[in-house]
Amino acid sequence: MDLGVHALPLDLSTTYPVHSLSEGTASFDALVAGDAKAPNPIYARLHNPTVARFEEGLARLEGAEAAVAYGSGMAALTALLLARRPHGQHVVGVRPIYGSADHLLSSDLLGMSTTWTTADKVAEAIRPDTSLVLIETPANPTLQLVDIAEVVRQAGSVPVMVDSTFATPVLQTPLALGASYVLHSATKFLGGHGDVIAGVIATSEERAKSLRQVRALTGALLHPLGGYLLHRGLATLSLRVERAQASAQVLVERLSHHPAVAKLHFPGLTTESRAILNKQMRGPGCLLALELAGGYEAAAQVMQRVQLFTPAVSLGSVDSLIQHPAGLTHRVLTEETRAKTGISPAMLRLSVGLEHPDDLWADLKQALDSVSAELAA
Ligand SMILES: *Cc1c(COP(=O)(O)O)cnc(C)c1O
């Protein structure tokens, strides 16, 4: 950057020369204590300038003092749980939540126990040893909204983590509503092009220190190339989200009149959801779910017959994706939990990308029409 470069450099170095031992030891101490940077980065497990550039950008977008990036969203969640463990080995989770997050929290892999509850009963679930409350809004895959400020109020002195992957900082900034941590699977909208697996947590500088310590000790790093691509992705984030959101709104409107669709899920469709949306979001986002009148079979057929939508898990890419939550992303949940949280076998989740909305609608319509025709026959 001393050269005044425009595109920022990708720093792949694993180690950095230590010419002054006194500067080296002071830098080492600072990084091991969880500082964001030091005069000498020492070793790339402690600090990488390319990853740090993405973290600073994301922190600014979230209105946070700091952000800490990891090799995946799940690595970020794991690091957060490990960082909270000394404060108490109990967490409270509101379902529904990302399938693998549910799986991790329901296991005793990290020595933490989880009480699952609903958004209105968080206060009752808090114990003296509760060190974290976890919510996801909009939630995966039902697009249910959770009132962030209300959960923060119920949690009292216990910090609240919001998985804000579906909203991105373009549509929602949970720290401003009192949350302590914002988690993103950066694999999704932040990267935006389906070519990076990454996770990031935005929080206060004090809390970030323990997250960096866990990252350095467990080695759950984001590779600098991922940091480079994510930083570049931030430049187009708002454009991508706004365009995809506008297309999602067009699709929801058209789908609501199609006879093959029994039920639609999209933030703001019900009165309760609209009230929360207006309170904490700047728009409904780019994901929607639908339930087919023809049940599981019809859902499977639609997934097979789409041509422009890619039938695949994940979301937030420039390409539109369609997937079956009960059969894929939320397969690890018990049938009972799926039923309780509204993840029906007839449900498909759509992540709208940047294709023209008329082309997306034409694709969905031909798939839905053929399913309706078969039902009528
Ligand atoms: C994908 C996802 C995760 C997990 O992130 P990975 O990058 O796949 O590890 C967590 N939360 C939500 C909402 C997700 O969509």
PDB file of all heavy atoms in Angstrom, residues 40-61:
ATOM      1  N   ASN A  40       4.411  -6.155  14.303  1.00  0.00           N
ATOM      2  CA  ASN A  40       4.835  -7.282  13.470  1.00  0.00           C
ATOM      3  C   ASN A  40       3.765  -8.376  13.550  1.00  0.00           C
ATOM      4  O   ASN A  40       3.416  -8.819  14.645  1.00  0.00           O
ATOM      5  CB  ASN A  40       6.180  -7.819  13.974  1.00  0.00           C
ATOM      6  CG  ASN A  40       6.776  -8.852  13.017  1.00  0.00           C
ATOM      7  OD1 ASN A  40       6.063  -9.677  12.457  1.00  0.00           O
ATOM      8  ND2 ASN A  40       8.083  -8.782  12.832  1.00  0.00           N
ATOM      9  N   PRO A  41       3.227  -8.865  12.410  1.00  0.00           N
ATOM     10  CA  PRO A  41       2.186  -9.915  12.464  1.00  0.00           C
ATOM     11  C   PRO A  41       2.722 -11.265  12.956  1.00  0.00           C
ATOM     12  O   PRO A  41       1.934 -12.142  13.302  1.00  0.00           O
ATOM     13  CB  PRO A  41       1.712 -10.025  11.017  1.00  0.00           C
ATOM     14  CG  PRO A  41       2.216  -8.806  10.318  1.00  0.00           C
ATOM     15  CD  PRO A  41       3.470  -8.391  11.031  1.00  0.00           C
ATOM     16  N   ILE A  42       4.025 -11.453  12.955  1.00  0.00           N
ATOM     17  CA  ILE A  42       4.706 -12.650  13.474  1.00  0.00           C
ATOM     18  C   ILE A  42       4.415 -13.914  12.653  1.00  0.00           C
ATOM     19  O   ILE A  42       5.299 -14.468  12.017  1.00  0.00           O
ATOM     20  CB  ILE A  42       4.371 -12.932  14.965  1.00  0.00           C
ATOM     21  CG1 ILE A  42       4.671 -11.685  15.821  1.00  0.00           C
ATOM     22  CG2 ILE A  42       5.116 -14.161  15.482  1.00  0.00           C
ATOM     23  CD1 ILE A  42       6.146 -11.370  16.010  1.00  0.00           C
ATOM     24  N   TYR A  43       3.156 -14.388  12.690  1.00  0.00           N
ATOM     25  CA  TYR A  43       2.812 -15.674  12.089  1.00  0.00           C
ATOM     26  C   TYR A  43       1.339 -15.585  11.689  1.00  0.00           C
ATOM     27  O   TYR A  43       0.518 -15.031  12.425  1.00  0.00           O
ATOM     28  CB  TYR A  43       3.039 -16.775  13.135  1.00  0.00           C
ATOM     29  CG  TYR A  43       2.820 -18.189  12.643  1.00  0.00           C
ATOM     30  CD1 TYR A  43       3.554 -18.691  11.565  1.00  0.00           C
ATOM     31  CD2 TYR A  43       1.913 -19.033  13.264  1.00  0.00           C
ATOM     32  CE1 TYR A  43       3.357 -19.992  11.121  1.00  0.00           C
ATOM     33  CE2 TYR A  43       1.719 -20.340  12.834  1.00  0.00           C
ATOM     34  CZ  TYR A  43       2.445 -20.811  11.757  1.00  0.00           C
ATOM     35  OH  TYR A  43       2.258 -22.103  11.330  1.00  0.00           O
ATOM     36  N   ALA A  44       0.992 -16.159  10.546  1.00  0.00           N
ATOM     37  CA  ALA A  44      -0.343 -15.922   9.986  1.00  0.00           C
ATOM     38  C   ALA A  44      -1.488 -16.538  10.797  1.00  0.00           C
ATOM     39  O   ALA A  44      -2.642 -16.190  10.573  1.00  0.00           O
ATOM     40  CB  ALA A  44      -0.397 -16.408   8.542  1.00  0.00           C
ATOM     41  N   ARG A  45      -1.189 -17.436  11.729  1.00  0.00           N
ATOM     42  CA  ARG A  45      -2.288 -17.907  12.595  1.00  0.00           C
ATOM     43  C   ARG A  45      -2.664 -16.841  13.623  1.00  0.00           C
ATOM     44  O   ARG A  45      -3.758 -16.859  14.190  1.00  0.00           O
ATOM     45  CB  ARG A  45      -1.913 -19.237  13.284  1.00  0.00           C
ATOM     46  CG  ARG A  45      -3.043 -19.828  14.125  1.00  0.00           C
ATOM     47  CD  ARG A  45      -2.964 -21.343  14.321  1.00  0.00           C
ATOM     48  NE  ARG A  45      -1.632 -21.813  14.600  1.00  0.00           N
ATOM     49  CZ  ARG A  45      -0.984 -21.611  15.760  1.00  0.00           C
ATOM     50  NH1 ARG A  45      -1.549 -20.948  16.732  1.00  0.00           N
ATOM     51  NH2 ARG A  45       0.237 -22.080  15.929  1.00  0.00           N
ATOM     52  N   LEU A  46      -1.768 -15.881  13.844  1.00  0.00           N
ATOM     53  CA  LEU A  46      -2.044 -14.795  14.795  1.00  0.00           C
ATOM     54  C   LEU A  46      -2.659 -13.573  14.111  1.00  0.00           C
ATOM     55  O   LEU A  46      -3.472 -12.861  14.691  1.00  0.00           O
ATOM     56  CB  LEU A  46      -0.743 -14.387  15.503  1.00  0.00           C
ATOM     57  CG  LEU A  46      -0.035 -15.502  16.267  1.00  0.00           C
ATOM     58  CD1 LEU A  46       1.297 -15.005  16.819  1.00  0.00           C
ATOM     59  CD2 LEU A  46      -0.922 -16.023  17.394  1.00  0.00           C
ATOM     60  N   HIS A  47      -2.249 -13.331  12.863  1.00  0.00           N
ATOM     61  CA  HIS A  47      -2.750 -12.145  12.170  1.00  0.00           C
ATOM     62  C   HIS A  47      -2.484 -12.262  10.676  1.00  0.00           C
ATOM     63  O   HIS A  47      -1.421 -12.729  10.282  1.00  0.00           O
ATOM     64  CB  HIS A  47      -2.060 -10.873  12.689  1.00  0.00           C
ATOM     65  CG  HIS A  47      -2.548  -9.620  12.020  1.00  0.00           C
ATOM     66  ND1 HIS A  47      -3.681  -8.952  12.430  1.00  0.00           N
ATOM     67  CD2 HIS A  47      -2.079  -8.935  10.950  1.00  0.00           C
ATOM     68  CE1 HIS A  47      -3.886  -7.899  11.657  1.00  0.00           C
ATOM     69  NE2 HIS A  47      -2.925  -7.861  10.748  1.00  0.00           N
ATOM     70  N   ASN A  48      -3.452 -11.816   9.872  1.00  0.00           N
ATOM     71  CA  ASN A  48      -3.205 -11.690   8.437  1.00  0.00           C
ATOM     72  C   ASN A  48      -3.812 -10.374   7.953  1.00  0.00           C
ATOM     73  O   ASN A  48      -4.996 -10.117   8.180  1.00  0.00           O
ATOM     74  CB  ASN A  48      -3.822 -12.865   7.663  1.00  0.00           C
ATOM     75  CG  ASN A  48      -3.668 -12.666   6.162  1.00  0.00           C
ATOM     76  OD1 ASN A  48      -4.522 -12.075   5.517  1.00  0.00           O
ATOM     77  ND2 ASN A  48      -2.568 -13.123   5.613  1.00  0.00           N
ATOM     78  N   PRO A  49      -3.028  -9.533   7.288  1.00  0.00           N
ATOM     79  CA  PRO A  49      -3.506  -8.202   6.905  1.00  0.00           C
ATOM     80  C   PRO A  49      -4.679  -8.222   5.918  1.00  0.00           C
ATOM     81  O   PRO A  49      -5.545  -7.354   5.974  1.00  0.00           O
ATOM     82  CB  PRO A  49      -2.275  -7.560   6.242  1.00  0.00           C
ATOM     83  CG  PRO A  49      -1.105  -8.378   6.663  1.00  0.00           C
ATOM     84  CD  PRO A  49      -1.613  -9.751   6.946  1.00  0.00           C
ATOM     85  N   THR A  50      -4.725  -9.231   5.043  1.00  0.00           N
ATOM     86  CA  THR A  50      -5.813  -9.295   4.055  1.00  0.00           C
ATOM     87  C   THR A  50      -7.133  -9.657   4.744  1.00  0.00           C
ATOM     88  O   THR A  50      -8.181  -9.064   4.472  1.00  0.00           O
ATOM     89  CB  THR A  50      -5.478 -10.327   2.956  1.00  0.00           C
ATOM     90  OG1 THR A  50      -4.201  -9.999   2.415  1.00  0.00           O
ATOM     91  CG2 THR A  50      -6.517 -10.323   1.861  1.00  0.00           C
ATOM     92  N   VAL A  51      -7.068 -10.626   5.655  1.00  0.00           N
ATOM     93  CA  VAL A  51      -8.266 -11.013   6.414  1.00  0.00           C
ATOM     94  C   VAL A  51      -8.706  -9.843   7.300  1.00  0.00           C
ATOM     95  O   VAL A  51      -9.903  -9.539   7.415  1.00  0.00           O
ATOM     96  CB  VAL A  51      -7.991 -12.286   7.256  1.00  0.00           C
ATOM     97  CG1 VAL A  51      -9.143 -12.571   8.202  1.00  0.00           C
ATOM     98  CG2 VAL A  51      -7.738 -13.479   6.341  1.00  0.00           C
ATOM     99  N   ALA A  52      -7.728  -9.156   7.906  1.00  0.00           N
ATOM    100  CA  ALA A  52      -8.052  -8.025   8.789  1.00  0.00           C
ATOM    101  C   ALA A  52      -8.783  -6.916   8.028  1.00  0.00           C
ATOM    102  O   ALA A  52      -9.666  -6.257   8.577  1.00  0.00           O
ATOM    103  CB  ALA A  52      -6.772  -7.470   9.412  1.00  0.00           C
ATOM    104  N   ARG A  53      -8.445  -6.736   6.747  1.00  0.00           N
ATOM    105  CA  ARG A  53      -9.111  -5.696   5.945  1.00  0.00           C
ATOM    106  C   ARG A  53     -10.595  -6.026   5.768  1.00  0.00           C
ATOM    107  O   ARG A  53     -11.454  -5.160   5.862  1.00  0.00           O
ATOM    108  CB  ARG A  53      -8.410  -5.619   4.589  1.00  0.00           C
ATOM    109  CG  ARG A  53      -8.430  -4.248   3.980  1.00  0.00           C
ATOM    110  CD  ARG A  53      -7.536  -4.200   2.749  1.00  0.00           C
ATOM    111  NE  ARG A  53      -6.137  -4.075   3.085  1.00  0.00           N
ATOM    112  CZ  ARG A  53      -5.180  -4.904   2.654  1.00  0.00           C
ATOM    113  NH1 ARG A  53      -5.462  -5.929   1.868  1.00  0.00           N
ATOM    114  NH2 ARG A  53      -3.940  -4.707   2.997  1.00  0.00           N
ATOM    115  N   PHE A  54     -10.897  -7.292   5.527  1.00  0.00           N
ATOM    116  CA  PHE A  54     -12.309  -7.706   5.443  1.00  0.00           C
ATOM    117  C   PHE A  54     -12.997  -7.505   6.793  1.00  0.00           C
ATOM    118  O   PHE A  54     -14.119  -6.989   6.868  1.00  0.00           O
ATOM    119  CB  PHE A  54     -12.410  -9.176   4.999  1.00  0.00           C
ATOM    120  CG  PHE A  54     -13.732  -9.807   5.344  1.00  0.00           C
ATOM    121  CD1 PHE A  54     -14.907  -9.343   4.767  1.00  0.00           C
ATOM    122  CD2 PHE A  54     -13.821 -10.845   6.266  1.00  0.00           C
ATOM    123  CE1 PHE A  54     -16.145  -9.905   5.096  1.00  0.00           C
ATOM    124  CE2 PHE A  54     -15.041 -11.407   6.608  1.00  0.00           C
ATOM    125  CZ  PHE A  54     -16.203 -10.930   6.025  1.00  0.00           C
ATOM    126  N   GLU A  55     -12.323  -7.882   7.871  1.00  0.00           N
ATOM    127  CA  GLU A  55     -12.929  -7.751   9.207  1.00  0.00           C
ATOM    128  C   GLU A  55     -13.264  -6.290   9.522  1.00  0.00           C
ATOM    129  O   GLU A  55     -14.340  -5.984  10.058  1.00  0.00           O
ATOM    130  CB  GLU A  55     -11.964  -8.291  10.273  1.00  0.00           C
ATOM    131  CG  GLU A  55     -11.779  -9.803  10.194  1.00  0.00           C
ATOM    132  CD  GLU A  55     -10.674 -10.322  11.106  1.00  0.00           C
ATOM    133  OE1 GLU A  55      -9.721  -9.563  11.412  1.00  0.00           O
ATOM    134  OE2 GLU A  55     -10.756 -11.491  11.508  1.00  0.00           O
ATOM    135  N   GLU A  56     -12.342  -5.401   9.171  1.00  0.00           N
ATOM    136  CA  GLU A  56     -12.595  -3.969   9.445  1.00  0.00           C
ATOM    137  C   GLU A  56     -13.785  -3.460   8.643  1.00  0.00           C
ATOM    138  O   GLU A  56     -14.620  -2.700   9.149  1.00  0.00           O
ATOM    139  CB  GLU A  56     -11.348  -3.143   9.118  1.00  0.00           C
ATOM    140  CG  GLU A  56     -10.274  -3.270  10.199  1.00  0.00           C
ATOM    141  CD  GLU A  56      -8.889  -2.824   9.731  1.00  0.00           C
ATOM    142  OE1 GLU A  56      -8.809  -1.998   8.784  1.00  0.00           O
ATOM    143  OE2 GLU A  56      -7.892  -3.312  10.291  1.00  0.00           O
ATOM    144  N   GLY A  57     -13.887  -3.893   7.396  1.00  0.00           N
ATOM    145  CA  GLY A  57     -15.007  -3.466   6.549  1.00  0.00           C
ATOM    146  C   GLY A  57     -16.334  -3.958   7.096  1.00  0.00           C
ATOM    147  O   GLY A  57     -17.309  -3.207   7.198  1.00  0.00           O
ATOM    148  N   LEU A  58     -16.372  -5.226   7.473  1.00  0.00           N
ATOM    149  CA  LEU A  58     -17.611  -5.813   7.983  1.00  0.00           C
ATOM    150  C   LEU A  58     -17.988  -5.161   9.316  1.00  0.00           C
ATOM    151  O   LEU A  58     -19.164  -4.857   9.558  1.00  0.00           O
ATOM    152  CB  LEU A  58     -17.430  -7.330   8.121  1.00  0.00           C
ATOM    153  CG  LEU A  58     -18.635  -8.228   8.391  1.00  0.00           C
ATOM    154  CD1 LEU A  58     -18.904  -8.407   9.878  1.00  0.00           C
ATOM    155  CD2 LEU A  58     -19.899  -7.789   7.676  1.00  0.00           C
ATOM    156  N   ALA A  59     -16.995  -4.912  10.165  1.00  0.00           N
ATOM    157  CA  ALA A  59     -17.270  -4.266  11.454  1.00  0.00           C
ATOM    158  C   ALA A  59     -17.927  -2.903  11.216  1.00  0.00           C
ATOM    159  O   ALA A  59     -18.908  -2.548  11.871  1.00  0.00           O
ATOM    160  CB  ALA A  59     -15.986  -4.118  12.263  1.00  0.00           C
ATOM    161  N   ARG A  60     -17.411  -2.158  10.255  1.00  0.00           N
ATOM    162  CA  ARG A  60     -17.994  -0.844   9.962  1.00  0.00           C
ATOM    163  C   ARG A  60     -19.436  -0.962   9.515  1.00  0.00           C
ATOM    164  O   ARG A  60     -20.295  -0.193   9.923  1.00  0.00           O
ATOM    165  CB  ARG A  60     -17.201  -0.154   8.862  1.00  0.00           C
ATOM    166  CG  ARG A  60     -16.060   0.634   9.421  1.00  0.00           C
ATOM    167  CD  ARG A  60     -15.714   1.765   8.483  1.00  0.00           C
ATOM    168  NE  ARG A  60     -14.273   1.866   8.443  1.00  0.00           N
ATOM    169  CZ  ARG A  60     -13.594   2.647   7.635  1.00  0.00           C
ATOM    170  NH1 ARG A  60     -14.230   3.387   6.755  1.00  0.00           N
ATOM    171  NH2 ARG A  60     -12.301   2.688   7.692  1.00  0.00           N
ATOM    172  N   LEU A  61     -19.707  -1.942   8.657  1.00  0.00           N
ATOM    173  CA  LEU A  61     -21.077  -2.114   8.164  1.00  0.00           C
ATOM    174  C   LEU A  61     -22.028  -2.490   9.296  1.00  0.00           C
ATOM    175  O   LEU A  61     -23.196  -2.109   9.285  1.00  0.00           O
ATOM    176  CB  LEU A  61     -21.128  -3.191   7.078  1.00  0.00           C
ATOM    177  CG  LEU A  61     -20.463  -2.839   5.752  1.00  0.00           C
ATOM    178  CD1 LEU A  61     -20.507  -4.039   4.814  1.00  0.00           C
ATOM    179  CD2 LEU A  61     -21.138  -1.638   5.104  1.00  0.00           C
TER     180      LEU A  61
END
